[in-house]
Amino acid sequence: MQANILLMGASGSLGLEIAKRLKRDAIPFRGHTTSSSGLEKLKPYTDDIWIADPVENPKSVVGITDGISTVISGMGKSVSLFSNSADSFYEVDYLANAEILSDAIENKVSYYIYISIKEAGNNDEFAIPRSHKHFEESLQNSKINHCILRPVGFYSGLHDLAIMAKHQVIPIIGEGEAKTNSIAQGDMAEVVIRTLKNKNTGVHIIGGPRIHTRYEMAKMVQDRFGGKVIKVPHTVANVGAVLPQIFDKNLHEKIGFFKYIITHDMIGEKNGSITFEEYLNTIDENDLP
């Protein structure tokens, strides 16, 4: 059966979970990745794989939506403090996605699902939500029938705390009273599949099954990996958000936004069943740097 769904960012942590469920439900799809290692990850789920880097070479994605009726895009730059990529958030989260949208318009794609972030509608002073917002606006102006999913955060985004715990320190800012209901990638993938099947539209704020304070989550990380929870005063955190700008713009952008999200409530509509404790138990400590 010919694929009529394109999954962008298919070899990423969320993309692979979506790929698994498309395969499970016998829904053929074209998977996009930027690397040969991503190709190997996708082979168990689809034979239709497109390798291209729209940041490095925009022309490499021309025709990627040919024969496609639905695009699902989870393509975006990692927000982990421990990842290293020279590409900016503007280039990956906005420009690269805009290249795919342009091709989708050319090929008359009829439905589009975009996985954004909760703060995309706010906080233009931060590069990460600002870049997502720019693409959301482009998608809304395209007239393609679409659904924008804004998760409040993924459990995988908290791997940084597990890495720090392995090195005996788990920092939180202030008292850690801000609340969130982050979601497991697998549960988020189920939301995407449900959205696809129902052809939902509009903007939806997506959360996981349980709400915790940041301090409670830090204690869960401590219980799983050890280390010590350290409360960092807001004033010290502010200095930490400014100094890295001298050395690495991307790191500065990550730290500034990281400070914001862990000091403000990030709560969305409850979905899924996987708890944060259950997710932590699936992480192999030997896989952490």
Side-chain angles (χ1 to χ4, degrees), residues 144-198:
I144 295 176
N145 199 33
H146 63 272
C147 187
I148 295 170
L149 302 176
R150 292 181 181 166
V152 301
F154 296 127
Y155 292 161
S156 62
L158 297 165
H159 271 203
D160 285 3
L161 291 182
I163 294 170
M164 294 177 194
K166 187 176 179 179
H167 296 278
Q168 304 306 307
V169 176
I170 310 168
I172 61 170
I173 298 176
E175 296 299 314
E177 68 273 13
K179 298 177 180 179
T180 187
N181 61 332
S182 298
I183 188 169
Q185 303 97 294
D187 281 342
M188 184 66 201
E190 294 290 356
V191 173
V192 172
I193 296 300
R194 185 171 69 242
T195 300
L196 172 68
K197 292 179 177 179
N198 294 335

Side-chain angles (χ1 to χ4, degrees), residues 9-214:
S11 61
S13 57
L14 174 61
L16 274 178
E17 294 297 330
I18 299 171
K20 291 174 184 177
R21 284 155 180 78
L22 290 170
K23 175 74 171 180
R24 176 199 67 192
D25 294 351
I27 302 173
F29 70 97
R30 176 176 299 158
H32 160 264
T33 184
T34 60
S35 66
S36 56
S37 60
L39 171 69
E40 294 303 316
K41 292 178 183 179
L42 283 172
K43 279 183 177 179
Y45 310 111
T46 181
D47 296 325
D48 188 349
I49 303 172
W50 192 298
I51 304 177
D53 187 341
V55 173
E56 182 179 321
N57 181 11
K59 291 184 179 179
S60 65
V61 293
V62 172
I64 195 170
T65 64
D66 185 25
I68 296 295
S69 63
T70 296
V71 173
I72 302 171
S73 180
M75 180 174 62
K77 179 179 171 64
S78 172
V79 298
S80 170
L81 301 177
F82 295 95
S83 67
N84 185 21
S85 170
D87 298 332
S88 69
F89 286 99
Y90 180 76
E91 289 172 321
V92 179
D93 295 344
Y94 173 59
L95 291 181
N97 274 296
E99 290 293 340
I100 307 306
L101 178 60
S102 178
D103 198 75
I105 294 170
E106 177 70 23
N107 287 297
K108 296 181 172 53
V109 166
S110 59
Y111 185 56
Y112 215 112
I113 299 173
Y114 177 56
I115 298 105
S116 183
I117 60 173
K118 178 185 180 294
E119 291 300 295
N122 307 290
N123 297 309
D124 280 357
E125 67 269 31
F126 296 112
I128 299 173
R130 184 171 67 244
S131 299
H132 283 282
K133 179 182 178 181
H134 283 335
F135 181 72
E136 287 189 9
E137 290 172 344
S138 295
L139 180 58
Q140 290 163 343
N141 291 333
S142 73
K143 307 305 181 183
I144 295 176
N145 199 33
H146 63 272
C147 187
I148 295 170
L149 302 176
R150 292 181 181 166
V152 301
F154 296 127
Y155 292 161
S156 62
L158 297 165
H159 271 203
D160 285 3
L161 291 182
I163 294 170
M164 294 177 194
K166 187 176 179 179
H167 296 278
Q168 304 306 307
V169 176
I170 310 168
I172 61 170
I173 298 176
E175 296 299 314
E177 68 273 13
K179 298 177 180 179
T180 187
N181 61 332
S182 298
I183 188 169
Q185 303 97 294
D187 281 342
M188 184 66 201
E190 294 290 356
V191 173
V192 172
I193 296 300
R194 185 171 69 242
T195 300
L196 172 68
K197 292 179 177 179
N198 294 335
K199 291 293 188 292
N200 294 336
T201 58
V203 178
H204 303 269
I205 310 299
I206 307 299
R210 294 184 183 176
I211 297 173
H212 300 287
T213 66
R214 295 291 178 176

